[in-house]
Amino acid sequence: MENKFPKGFLWGISTSSYQIEGGNSNSDWWQWEEKGKTQDKSGQACDYWNRWKKDHNLLSELGVNSFRLSLEWSRIELEEGKFSEENIQKYREILQDLKNRNIKTAVTFWHWTSPIWFQEKYGLHRKKSVEIFARYGQKIIDELGDLIDISVILNEPMMPLTSGYLKGKFPPGIRCPIRYKKAFNNLVEAYKIIYAYSKKKFPQTPVGITTLYNFFEPANKFNPIHKLIVWICKKFWNEAFFGKIKAQCDYYGLDYYFHHKLGLTGRKNENKKVSNVGWEIYPQGIYEVLKEIKAKYNLPIYVMENGLADANDKYRAEFIREHIKYMQKAIGEGADIRGYFHWSLMDNFEWLHGFKPRFGLVEINYKTLERRPRKSFYTYKEIISSNKI
Ligand code: BGC
């Protein structure tokens, strides 16, 4: 079997602004941390906001030809309708630097965080949020669109929607199915406006979202109840949001982390190997979900996130190799997979769990902010440079 990847395959790495930039005190998550809702406060995080040039050197060293990063809405729109030219200019510099290095940019417009003013005055559940959110998206396209190779308008919308509106764990901390449904619909509508606008201004730029698509399987595949549970989970979690916008997506952005083997009383995973946060390491699942996605949507696919918390770098190299092998198997069976973005470049602020889970190819010393590539960094580097596994 030819084990090279298609020419032009994107080898990348994924990050998000709030988790690495630091100092995002205008953001609703900052306020959330102040209220004591998270393990740690993000503070200066990795200080990417000031150290990005050096971090881009790490990208060059790794040899990636693409980088996924996100923009912080609360830095761009300081107050309602008042945009920061200075910060937009800074994002231009960041993106331009990637271009100069021949690194393609996959830019997430919204990786869960909103400005405090937005959350306080509107929130996604209010109708007016559609207009406000869409205006932010359009502003990005006007100001930065020429430097964006792939637009990721939303990151995993089901996470902030369910955690923020059903479980009360993310801002705005609500538990209300009615407001959940409103927020869901508003986000769908805002997405569609931004999509149309982007297509008008930059018809060539692929536009879409990422979905946290889990591999659900029945604990017993002959048990109709188990199968029903799996069917419901797929409908509610994997397919609900994407299903509403699939006609307005140029690609499928897959974030793969989870395998759930489901029975009547919950998860029945074997958990032979687990990461530091207890998530099962199950590489075969990426193959299964890629097959499902191909069959269901028949779109070009980018694996936009895949990674693990592994402070001692015990499993990461094998994790990367195994997932890429299974991805290659899906390509061999006709899935149109255009890129793989590992999560993440460096250890970062892992939302509710703070700094403890370490997802980085590069280790961060949070006292000195020193960066140190882990061994698996070189494993990934080798795969990229040879374009094969
Ligand atoms: C999110 C990231 C997060 C990662 C690991 C993904 O669902 O997009 O922000 O750090 O999972 O938990």
Side-chain angles (χ1 to χ4, degrees):
M1 181 180 136
E2 168 61 286
N3 62 356
K4 283 242 174 202
F5 278 82
K7 219 173 149 245
F9 189 81
L10 294 187
W11 290 111
I13 196 123
S14 238
T15 59
S16 95
S17 52
Y18 194 84
Q19 294 178 268
I20 60 173
E21 280 180 0
N24 276 312
S25 55
N26 262 332
S27 160
D28 59 348
W29 265 85
W30 191 274
Q31 205 179 41
W32 200 240
E33 292 159 26
E34 292 291 323
K35 289 181 184 158
K37 306 281 190 181
T38 54
Q39 286 291 327
D40 299 310
K41 292 186 182 170
S42 59
Q44 58 180 351
C46 309
D47 196 30
Y48 173 80
W49 189 245
N50 297 305
R51 296 169 199 242
W52 58 271
K53 263 210 177 114
K54 284 203 173 139
D55 290 334
H56 291 186
N57 289 341
L58 286 167
L59 296 176
S60 298
E61 161 73 14
L62 182 58
V64 288
N65 57 16
S66 46
F67 182 49
R68 179 172 166 224
L69 70 168
S70 75
L71 306 169
E72 189 57 30
W73 182 5
S74 67
R75 282 203 201 267
I76 291 182
E77 192 170 354
L78 301 179
E79 293 166 34
E80 185 175 351
K82 198 177 144 221
F83 293 91
S84 163
E85 290 315 317
E86 190 189 331
N87 289 342
I88 291 172
Q89 189 49 40
K90 177 135 169 189
Y91 279 124
R92 277 198 75 81
E93 263 175 63
I94 290 176
L95 295 172
Q96 187 60 58
D97 182 69
L98 294 165
K99 292 279 185 190
N100 297 345
R101 294 169 190 261
N102 262 323
I103 294 175
K104 289 207 159 62
T105 56
V107 177
T108 312
F109 291 24
W110 189 68
H111 200 120
W112 305 350
T113 52
S114 306
I116 293 173
W117 62 259
F118 172 82
Q119 198 61 275
E120 286 185 341
K121 189 161 171 201
Y122 304 105
L124 289 169
H125 56 289
R126 296 218 170 78
K127 195 69 210 163
K128 180 92 174 164
S129 71
V130 175
E131 183 190 322
I132 306 288
F133 195 100
R135 181 181 61 188
Y136 159 67
Q138 290 167 335
K139 180 77 177 172
I140 291 179
I141 293 161
D142 289 341
E143 300 280 350
L144 304 168
D146 58 320
L147 295 172
I148 297 178
D149 293 303
I150 301 176
S151 287
V152 184
I153 309 295
L154 310 172
N155 178 68
E156 302 176 2
M158 289 302 283
M159 273 298 288
L161 286 171
T162 53
S163 297
Y165 283 94
L166 291 178
K167 298 187 201 157
K169 295 256 185 213
F170 281 16
I174 288 171
R175 280 195 228 159
C176 170
I178 295 167
R179 279 186 274 175
Y180 161 79
K181 198 61 197 151
K182 283 185 181 165
F184 181 106
N185 290 337
N186 290 340
L187 207 51
V188 165
E189 208 178 318
Y191 171 83
K192 288 184 179 172
I193 298 170
I194 300 170
Y195 178 85
Y197 190 78
S198 180
K199 287 287 116 180
K200 213 164 64 194
K201 286 205 81 168
F202 296 98
Q204 305 306 330
T205 308
V207 182
I209 67 166
T210 66
T211 298
L212 183 63
Y213 190 110
N214 300 336
F215 176 43
F216 295 110
E217 62 171 338
N220 174 352
K221 61 178 187 245
F222 301 108
N223 183 321
I225 311 263
H226 294 189
K227 279 164 59 176
L228 177 67
I229 294 169
V230 165
W231 185 85
I232 293 169
C233 288
K234 282 186 178 173
K235 286 277 168 240
F236 177 77
W237 185 260
N238 287 348
E239 296 165 18
F241 197 94
F242 192 77
K244 298 273 183 224
I245 59 163
K246 62 181 181 213
Q248 288 92 0
C249 280
D250 302 323
Y251 64 86
Y252 194 96
L254 165 67
D255 290 357
Y256 172 69
Y257 292 94
F258 296 108
H259 170 219
H260 299 300
K261 210 168 176 173
L262 300 175
L264 203 52
T265 48
R267 293 175 79 236
K268 306 283 174 208
N269 290 34
E270 284 171 44
N271 288 333
K272 281 190 190 142
K273 275 184 197 162
V274 297
S275 74
N276 293 162
V277 284
W279 303 354
E280 187 186 22
I281 299 176
Y282 194 73
Q284 190 187 334
I286 200 171
Y287 165 74
E288 303 290 347
V289 302
L290 286 166
K291 274 201 319 193
E292 288 180 12
I293 290 165
K294 173 184 163 10
K296 208 159 169 52
Y297 305 113
N298 201 25
L299 282 169
I301 303 170
Y302 292 95
V303 177
M304 283 293 190
E305 280 182 40
N306 171 235
L308 80 168
D310 183 13
N312 297 327
D313 212 31
K314 187 168 162 206
Y315 294 130
R316 192 174 283 102
E318 185 196 343
F319 179 102
I320 293 174
R321 278 196 297 265
E322 288 300 307
H323 281 81
I324 291 176
K325 263 191 213 160
Y326 275 112
M327 179 175 75
Q328 190 172 41
K329 186 168 174 208
I331 296 177
E333 292 173 19
D336 180 10
I337 302 165
R338 310 258 173 110
Y340 173 86
F341 291 71
H342 189 74
W343 181 275
S344 184
L345 175 63
M346 50 194 165
D347 296 337
N348 57 64
F349 179 72
E350 179 58 24
W351 307 112
L352 298 178
H353 309 290
F355 290 109
K356 196 155 176 242
R358 289 178 176 264
F359 277 87
L361 289 179
V362 175
E363 181 184 352
I364 300 275
N365 175 332
Y366 287 110
K367 289 207 180 88
T368 61
L369 290 180
E370 193 195 327
R371 278 89 164 127
R372 204 160 53 94
R374 295 191 162 100
K375 244 178 111 189
S376 53
F377 178 98
Y378 299 99
T379 305
Y380 191 39
K381 180 180 162 89
E382 167 61 27
I383 294 171
I384 296 169
S385 72
S386 60
N387 195 34
K388 67 175 190 198
I389 188 90

